[in-house]
PDB file of all heavy atoms in Angstrom:
ATOM      1  N   VAL A1419      94.421  91.725 114.295  1.00 80.00           N
ATOM      2  CA  VAL A1419      95.496  90.779 114.610  1.00 80.00           C
ATOM      3  C   VAL A1419      95.927  89.940 113.450  1.00 80.00           C
ATOM      4  O   VAL A1419      96.997  89.312 113.487  1.00 80.00           O
ATOM      5  CB  VAL A1419      95.187  89.915 115.816  1.00 80.00           C
ATOM      6  CG1 VAL A1419      94.976  90.720 117.096  1.00 80.00           C
ATOM      7  CG2 VAL A1419      93.992  89.022 115.573  1.00 80.00           C
ATOM      8  N   SER A1420      95.140  89.882 112.392  1.00 81.00           N
ATOM      9  CA  SER A1420      95.510  88.969 111.272  1.00 81.00           C
ATOM     10  C   SER A1420      95.765  89.713 109.982  1.00 81.00           C
ATOM     11  O   SER A1420      96.275  89.055 109.041  1.00 81.00           O
ATOM     12  CB  SER A1420      94.319  88.003 111.001  1.00 81.00           C
ATOM     13  OG  SER A1420      93.190  88.703 110.515  1.00 81.00           O
ATOM     14  N   ASP A1421      95.566  91.007 109.938  1.00 83.00           N
ATOM     15  CA  ASP A1421      95.659  91.743 108.658  1.00 83.00           C
ATOM     16  C   ASP A1421      97.184  91.873 108.351  1.00 83.00           C
ATOM     17  O   ASP A1421      97.965  92.368 109.106  1.00 83.00           O
ATOM     18  CB  ASP A1421      95.017  93.100 108.790  1.00 83.00           C
ATOM     19  CG  ASP A1421      95.205  93.896 107.534  1.00 83.00           C
ATOM     20  OD1 ASP A1421      95.016  93.336 106.449  1.00 83.00           O
ATOM     21  OD2 ASP A1421      95.526  95.102 107.594  1.00 83.00           O
ATOM     22  N   ARG A1422      97.533  91.483 107.067  1.00 86.00           N
ATOM     23  CA  ARG A1422      98.872  91.745 106.568  1.00 86.00           C
ATOM     24  C   ARG A1422      98.782  92.401 105.201  1.00 86.00           C
ATOM     25  O   ARG A1422      99.699  92.322 104.426  1.00 86.00           O
ATOM     26  CB  ARG A1422      99.671  90.424 106.447  1.00 86.00           C
ATOM     27  CG  ARG A1422     100.018  89.736 107.810  1.00 86.00           C
ATOM     28  CD  ARG A1422     100.853  90.600 108.631  1.00 86.00           C
ATOM     29  NE  ARG A1422     101.240  89.953 109.861  1.00 86.00           N
ATOM     30  CZ  ARG A1422     100.619  89.984 110.969  1.00 86.00           C
ATOM     31  NH1 ARG A1422      99.463  90.580 111.081  1.00 86.00           N
ATOM     32  NH2 ARG A1422     101.113  89.379 112.100  1.00 86.00           N
ATOM     33  N   ASP A1423      97.710  93.115 104.938  1.00 88.00           N
ATOM     34  CA  ASP A1423      97.544  93.782 103.656  1.00 88.00           C
ATOM     35  C   ASP A1423      98.664  94.798 103.439  1.00 88.00           C
ATOM     36  O   ASP A1423      99.168  94.957 102.300  1.00 88.00           O
ATOM     37  CB  ASP A1423      96.163  94.460 103.592  1.00 88.00           C
ATOM     38  CG  ASP A1423      95.019  93.477 103.470  1.00 88.00           C
ATOM     39  OD1 ASP A1423      95.303  92.282 103.352  1.00 88.00           O
ATOM     40  OD2 ASP A1423      93.845  93.972 103.502  1.00 88.00           O
ATOM     41  N   PHE A1424      99.083  95.494 104.510  1.00 87.00           N
ATOM     42  CA  PHE A1424     100.048  96.524 104.337  1.00 87.00           C
ATOM     43  C   PHE A1424     101.380  95.939 103.948  1.00 87.00           C
ATOM     44  O   PHE A1424     102.174  96.534 103.197  1.00 87.00           O
ATOM     45  CB  PHE A1424     100.275  97.356 105.647  1.00 87.00           C
ATOM     46  CG  PHE A1424     100.755  96.533 106.845  1.00 87.00           C
ATOM     47  CD1 PHE A1424     102.052  96.592 107.218  1.00 87.00           C
ATOM     48  CD2 PHE A1424      99.811  95.836 107.605  1.00 87.00           C
ATOM     49  CE1 PHE A1424     102.480  95.842 108.288  1.00 87.00           C
ATOM     50  CE2 PHE A1424     100.271  95.080 108.705  1.00 87.00           C
ATOM     51  CZ  PHE A1424     101.598  95.057 109.053  1.00 87.00           C
ATOM     52  N   VAL A1425     101.690  94.724 104.376  1.00 88.00           N
ATOM     53  CA  VAL A1425     102.914  94.002 103.976  1.00 88.00           C
ATOM     54  C   VAL A1425     102.826  93.602 102.517  1.00 88.00           C
ATOM     55  O   VAL A1425     103.761  93.853 101.761  1.00 88.00           O
ATOM     56  CB  VAL A1425     103.233  92.772 104.839  1.00 88.00           C
ATOM     57  CG1 VAL A1425     104.504  92.108 104.418  1.00 88.00           C
ATOM     58  CG2 VAL A1425     103.334  93.197 106.330  1.00 88.00           C
ATOM     59  N   ALA A1426     101.679  93.077 102.107  1.00 92.00           N
ATOM     60  CA  ALA A1426     101.470  92.659 100.710  1.00 92.00           C
ATOM     61  C   ALA A1426     101.552  93.883  99.782  1.00 92.00           C
ATOM     62  O   ALA A1426     102.169  93.824  98.713  1.00 92.00           O
ATOM     63  CB  ALA A1426     100.171  91.961 100.548  1.00 92.00           C
ATOM     64  N   GLU A1427     100.999  94.973 100.190  1.00 92.00           N
ATOM     65  CA  GLU A1427     100.960  96.209  99.364  1.00 92.00           C
ATOM     66  C   GLU A1427     102.402  96.688  99.232  1.00 92.00           C
ATOM     67  O   GLU A1427     102.836  97.135  98.182  1.00 92.00           O
ATOM     68  CB  GLU A1427     100.118  97.284  99.960  1.00 92.00           C
ATOM     69  CG  GLU A1427      98.593  96.943  99.849  1.00 92.00           C
ATOM     70  CD  GLU A1427      97.744  97.926 100.636  1.00 92.00           C
ATOM     71  OE1 GLU A1427      98.229  98.894 101.201  1.00 92.00           O
ATOM     72  OE2 GLU A1427      96.491  97.691 100.645  1.00 92.00           O
ATOM     73  N   PHE A1428     103.161  96.710 100.335  1.00 92.00           N
ATOM     74  CA  PHE A1428     104.576  97.191 100.297  1.00 92.00           C
ATOM     75  C   PHE A1428     105.410  96.292  99.365  1.00 92.00           C
ATOM     76  O   PHE A1428     106.162  96.800  98.555  1.00 92.00           O
ATOM     77  CB  PHE A1428     105.123  97.181 101.718  1.00 92.00           C
ATOM     78  CG  PHE A1428     106.527  97.662 101.764  1.00 92.00           C
ATOM     79  CD1 PHE A1428     106.837  98.988 101.535  1.00 92.00           C
ATOM     80  CD2 PHE A1428     107.569  96.795 102.094  1.00 92.00           C
ATOM     81  CE1 PHE A1428     108.181  99.428 101.580  1.00 92.00           C
ATOM     82  CE2 PHE A1428     108.870  97.216 102.187  1.00 92.00           C
ATOM     83  CZ  PHE A1428     109.169  98.599 101.907  1.00 92.00           C
ATOM     84  N   LEU A1429     105.252  94.967  99.435  1.00 93.00           N
ATOM     85  CA  LEU A1429     105.992  94.089  98.626  1.00 93.00           C
ATOM     86  C   LEU A1429     105.549  94.218  97.166  1.00 93.00           C
ATOM     87  O   LEU A1429     106.439  94.139  96.212  1.00 93.00           O
ATOM     88  CB  LEU A1429     105.784  92.624  99.045  1.00 93.00           C
ATOM     89  CG  LEU A1429     106.415  92.184 100.357  1.00 93.00           C
ATOM     90  CD1 LEU A1429     106.092  90.779 100.672  1.00 93.00           C
ATOM     91  CD2 LEU A1429     107.974  92.344 100.282  1.00 93.00           C
ATOM     92  N   PHE A1430     104.296  94.509  96.879  1.00 95.00           N
ATOM     93  CA  PHE A1430     103.870  94.754  95.508  1.00 95.00           C
ATOM     94  C   PHE A1430     104.514  96.048  94.945  1.00 95.00           C
ATOM     95  O   PHE A1430     105.011  96.044  93.809  1.00 95.00           O
ATOM     96  CB  PHE A1430     102.351  94.873  95.430  1.00 95.00           C
ATOM     97  CG  PHE A1430     101.865  95.388  94.084  1.00 95.00           C
ATOM     98  CD1 PHE A1430     101.922  94.513  92.971  1.00 95.00           C
ATOM     99  CD2 PHE A1430     101.472  96.702  93.910  1.00 95.00           C
ATOM    100  CE1 PHE A1430     101.480  94.948  91.718  1.00 95.00           C
ATOM    101  CE2 PHE A1430     101.051  97.124  92.668  1.00 95.00           C
ATOM    102  CZ  PHE A1430     101.107  96.254  91.562  1.00 95.00           C
ATOM    103  N   VAL A1431     104.570  97.085  95.752  1.00 94.00           N
ATOM    104  CA  VAL A1431     105.166  98.333  95.249  1.00 94.00           C
ATOM    105  C   VAL A1431     106.650  98.132  94.998  1.00 94.00           C
ATOM    106  O   VAL A1431     107.158  98.576  93.959  1.00 94.00           O
ATOM    107  CB  VAL A1431     104.934  99.472  96.318  1.00 94.00           C
ATOM    108  CG1 VAL A1431     105.775 100.655  96.007  1.00 94.00           C
ATOM    109  CG2 VAL A1431     103.464  99.867  96.379  1.00 94.00           C
ATOM    110  N   LEU A1432     107.350  97.417  95.892  1.00 94.00           N
ATOM    111  CA  LEU A1432     108.767  97.138  95.613  1.00 94.00           C
ATOM    112  C   LEU A1432     108.946  96.279  94.317  1.00 94.00           C
ATOM    113  O   LEU A1432     109.874  96.567  93.545  1.00 94.00           O
ATOM    114  CB  LEU A1432     109.397  96.383  96.816  1.00 94.00           C
ATOM    115  CG  LEU A1432     109.635  97.180  98.109  1.00 94.00           C
ATOM    116  CD1 LEU A1432     110.234  96.278  99.166  1.00 94.00           C
ATOM    117  CD2 LEU A1432     110.563  98.379  97.846  1.00 94.00           C
ATOM    118  N   SER A1433     108.108  95.245  94.142  1.00 95.00           N
ATOM    119  CA  SER A1433     108.199  94.474  92.968  1.00 95.00           C
ATOM    120  C   SER A1433     107.961  95.278  91.692  1.00 95.00           C
ATOM    121  O   SER A1433     108.689  95.111  90.732  1.00 95.00           O
ATOM    122  CB  SER A1433     107.145  93.291  93.029  1.00 95.00           C
ATOM    123  OG  SER A1433     107.367  92.511  94.154  1.00 95.00           O
ATOM    124  N   LEU A1434     106.929  96.162  91.782  1.00 95.00           N
ATOM    125  CA  LEU A1434     106.674  96.953  90.551  1.00 95.00           C
ATOM    126  C   LEU A1434     107.773  97.887  90.261  1.00 95.00           C
ATOM    127  O   LEU A1434     108.152  98.086  89.094  1.00 95.00           O
ATOM    128  CB  LEU A1434     105.347  97.641  90.761  1.00 95.00           C
ATOM    129  CG  LEU A1434     104.724  98.287  89.533  1.00 95.00           C
ATOM    130  CD1 LEU A1434     104.472  97.290  88.449  1.00 95.00           C
ATOM    131  CD2 LEU A1434     103.438  99.000  89.893  1.00 95.00           C
ATOM    132  N   ILE A1435     108.327  98.544  91.272  1.00 94.00           N
ATOM    133  CA  ILE A1435     109.491  99.457  91.052  1.00 94.00           C
ATOM    134  C   ILE A1435     110.655  98.666  90.454  1.00 94.00           C
ATOM    135  O   ILE A1435     111.295  99.141  89.518  1.00 94.00           O
ATOM    136  CB  ILE A1435     109.870 100.144  92.378  1.00 94.00           C
ATOM    137  CG1 ILE A1435     108.882 101.173  92.805  1.00 94.00           C
ATOM    138  CG2 ILE A1435     111.275 100.777  92.247  1.00 94.00           C
ATOM    139  CD1 ILE A1435     109.045 101.707  94.180  1.00 94.00           C
ATOM    140  N   GLY A1436     110.970  97.441  91.013  1.00 92.00           N
ATOM    141  CA  GLY A1436     112.024  96.629  90.492  1.00 92.00           C
ATOM    142  C   GLY A1436     111.815  96.286  89.037  1.00 92.00           C
ATOM    143  O   GLY A1436     112.741  96.303  88.239  1.00 92.00           O
ATOM    144  N   ILE A1437     110.631  95.896  88.689  1.00 92.00           N
ATOM    145  CA  ILE A1437     110.284  95.554  87.313  1.00 92.00           C
ATOM    146  C   ILE A1437     110.450  96.744  86.365  1.00 92.00           C
ATOM    147  O   ILE A1437     111.052  96.607  85.295  1.00 92.00           O
ATOM    148  CB  ILE A1437     108.932  94.917  87.207  1.00 92.00           C
ATOM    149  CG1 ILE A1437     108.899  93.518  87.897  1.00 92.00           C
ATOM    150  CG2 ILE A1437     108.403  94.887  85.779  1.00 92.00           C
ATOM    151  CD1 ILE A1437     107.532  92.938  88.022  1.00 92.00           C
ATOM    152  N   HIS A1438     109.988  97.908  86.773  1.00 92.00           N
ATOM    153  CA  HIS A1438     110.151  99.057  85.934  1.00 92.00           C
ATOM    154  C   HIS A1438     111.650  99.462  85.764  1.00 92.00           C
ATOM    155  O   HIS A1438     112.030  99.854  84.661  1.00 92.00           O
ATOM    156  CB  HIS A1438     109.326 100.255  86.433  1.00 92.00           C
ATOM    157  CG  HIS A1438     107.879 100.127  86.222  1.00 92.00           C
ATOM    158  ND1 HIS A1438     107.353 100.023  84.964  1.00 92.00           N
ATOM    159  CD2 HIS A1438     106.836 100.084  87.045  1.00 92.00           C
ATOM    160  CE1 HIS A1438     106.034  99.906  85.027  1.00 92.00           C
ATOM    161  NE2 HIS A1438     105.715  99.980  86.311  1.00 92.00           N
ATOM    162  N   LEU A1439     112.402  99.359  86.782  1.00 90.00           N
ATOM    163  CA  LEU A1439     113.813  99.646  86.741  1.00 90.00           C
ATOM    164  C   LEU A1439     114.550  98.655  85.847  1.00 90.00           C
ATOM    165  O   LEU A1439     115.429  98.974  85.044  1.00 90.00           O
ATOM    166  CB  LEU A1439     114.476  99.680  88.104  1.00 90.00           C
ATOM    167  CG  LEU A1439     114.124 100.900  88.994  1.00 90.00           C
ATOM    168  CD1 LEU A1439     114.736 100.665  90.349  1.00 90.00           C
ATOM    169  CD2 LEU A1439     114.604 102.160  88.354  1.00 90.00           C
ATOM    170  N   SER A1440     114.140  97.403  85.933  1.00 88.00           N
ATOM    171  CA  SER A1440     114.724  96.390  85.084  1.00 88.00           C
ATOM    172  C   SER A1440     114.452  96.645  83.592  1.00 88.00           C
ATOM    173  O   SER A1440     115.276  96.488  82.720  1.00 88.00           O
ATOM    174  CB  SER A1440     114.257  95.012  85.473  1.00 88.00           C
ATOM    175  OG  SER A1440     114.768  93.992  84.650  1.00 88.00           O
ATOM    176  N   ARG A1441     113.222  97.016  83.298  1.00 89.00           N
ATOM    177  CA  ARG A1441     112.791  97.335  81.930  1.00 89.00           C
ATOM    178  C   ARG A1441     113.561  98.513  81.408  1.00 89.00           C
ATOM    179  O   ARG A1441     114.041  98.513  80.226  1.00 89.00           O
ATOM    180  CB  ARG A1441     111.256  97.574  81.835  1.00 89.00           C
ATOM    181  CG  ARG A1441     110.515  96.270  82.179  1.00 89.00           C
ATOM    182  CD  ARG A1441     108.983  96.586  82.167  1.00 89.00           C
ATOM    183  NE  ARG A1441     108.576  96.929  80.796  1.00 89.00           N
ATOM    184  CZ  ARG A1441     107.471  97.572  80.501  1.00 89.00           C
ATOM    185  NH1 ARG A1441     106.640  97.894  81.487  1.00 89.00           N
ATOM    186  NH2 ARG A1441     107.129  97.806  79.279  1.00 89.00           N
ATOM    187  N   LEU A1442     113.723  99.543  82.241  1.00 89.00           N
ATOM    188  CA  LEU A1442     114.524 100.723  81.802  1.00 89.00           C
ATOM    189  C   LEU A1442     115.976 100.321  81.593  1.00 89.00           C
ATOM    190  O   LEU A1442     116.530 100.774  80.579  1.00 89.00           O
ATOM    191  CB  LEU A1442     114.436 101.782  82.899  1.00 89.00           C
ATOM    192  CG  LEU A1442     115.301 103.049  82.673  1.00 89.00           C
ATOM    193  CD1 LEU A1442     114.799 103.765  81.464  1.00 89.00           C
ATOM    194  CD2 LEU A1442     115.267 103.929  83.922  1.00 89.00           C
ATOM    195  N   SER A1443     116.536  99.469  82.400  1.00 86.00           N
ATOM    196  CA  SER A1443     117.851  99.000  82.227  1.00 86.00           C
ATOM    197  C   SER A1443     118.044  98.267  80.893  1.00 86.00           C
ATOM    198  O   SER A1443     119.014  98.435  80.137  1.00 86.00           O
ATOM    199  CB  SER A1443     118.323  98.079  83.329  1.00 86.00           C
ATOM    200  OG  SER A1443     118.325  98.807  84.551  1.00 86.00           O
ATOM    201  N   GLU A1444     117.021  97.443  80.594  1.00 86.00           N
ATOM    202  CA  GLU A1444     117.151  96.665  79.302  1.00 86.00           C
ATOM    203  C   GLU A1444     117.097  97.619  78.114  1.00 86.00           C
ATOM    204  O   GLU A1444     117.817  97.398  77.130  1.00 86.00           O
ATOM    205  CB  GLU A1444     115.996  95.672  79.258  1.00 86.00           C
ATOM    206  CG  GLU A1444     116.084  94.501  80.211  1.00 86.00           C
ATOM    207  CD  GLU A1444     117.377  93.672  79.981  1.00 86.00           C
ATOM    208  OE1 GLU A1444     117.827  93.520  78.849  1.00 86.00           O
ATOM    209  OE2 GLU A1444     117.879  93.172  81.012  1.00 86.00           O
TER     210      GLU A1444
END
């Protein structure tokens, strides 16, 4: 009832993808 690891993992993956796309754009 208290685990939100899957949400944190999903947000981390989105953040990492966004950072890599931003670096590629630069």
Side-chain angles (χ1 to χ4, degrees):
V1419 297
S1420 69
D1421 179 46
R1422 293 299 185 270
D1423 290 355
F1424 64 98
V1425 179
E1427 289 171 4
F1428 181 69
L1429 289 176
F1430 171 74
V1431 168
L1432 287 180
S1433 299
L1434 192 59
I1435 289 170
I1437 287 169
H1438 284 301
L1439 288 174
S1440 179
R1441 294 176 67 198
L1442 176 64
S1443 296
E1444 291 299 328

